[in-house]
Amino acid sequence: PALLCAAGVLVAIDQVLWYVDVAGYLICGSLPIKVCGYLFWPTTHIAKKITAMHHLFFVPLVMVLCARGDAIPLGRGFLVSAAQTVMCQLICRFT
């Protein structure tokens, strides 16, 4: 559960921005942040549009799966994601 929670923590901001864009589109007819604006480009293939829908379902699914135990392990998930971020920064600087 901690690794799954870490995955949710790592992508949470991107996922939240998708929710803001979708809500803005449904309410106002425009994308306030335009994080998913590429879906409206005429050159975007239908397969890309379909597979991009995972952005809407990932975080709720992670929360449901993590909550099946005693509680959502946010503390451990944050520690795992922080360690992964530090390791990626260290490794990527030399590649």
Side-chain angles (χ1 to χ4, degrees):
L3 292 178
L4 184 60
C5 188
V9 168
L10 286 169
V11 299
I13 188 65
D14 178 56
Q15 306 297 319
V16 169
L17 295 178
W18 267 74
Y19 297 139
V20 170
D21 264 358
V22 169
Y25 186 76
L26 293 174
I27 295 168
C28 302
S30 65
L31 303 170
I33 300 173
K34 296 180 181 60
V35 73
C36 60
Y38 68 93
L39 295 176
F40 297 96
W41 296 346
T43 56
T44 303
H45 193 271
I46 188 71
K48 180 79 167 179
K49 293 178 181 182
I50 292 170
T51 58
M53 292 302 115
H54 78 276
H55 289 282
L56 300 175
F57 304 112
F58 181 73
V59 169
L61 187 60
V62 165
M63 291 176 68
V64 166
L65 292 174
C66 285
R68 291 174 65 187
D70 293 336
I72 298 176
L74 286 177
R76 284 182 288 160
F78 178 77
L79 291 175
V80 170
S81 64
Q84 181 179 354
T85 302
V86 169
M87 291 304 296
C88 286
Q89 287 295 320
L90 292 173
I91 292 168
C92 291
R93 294 195 187 277
F94 302 107
T95 59

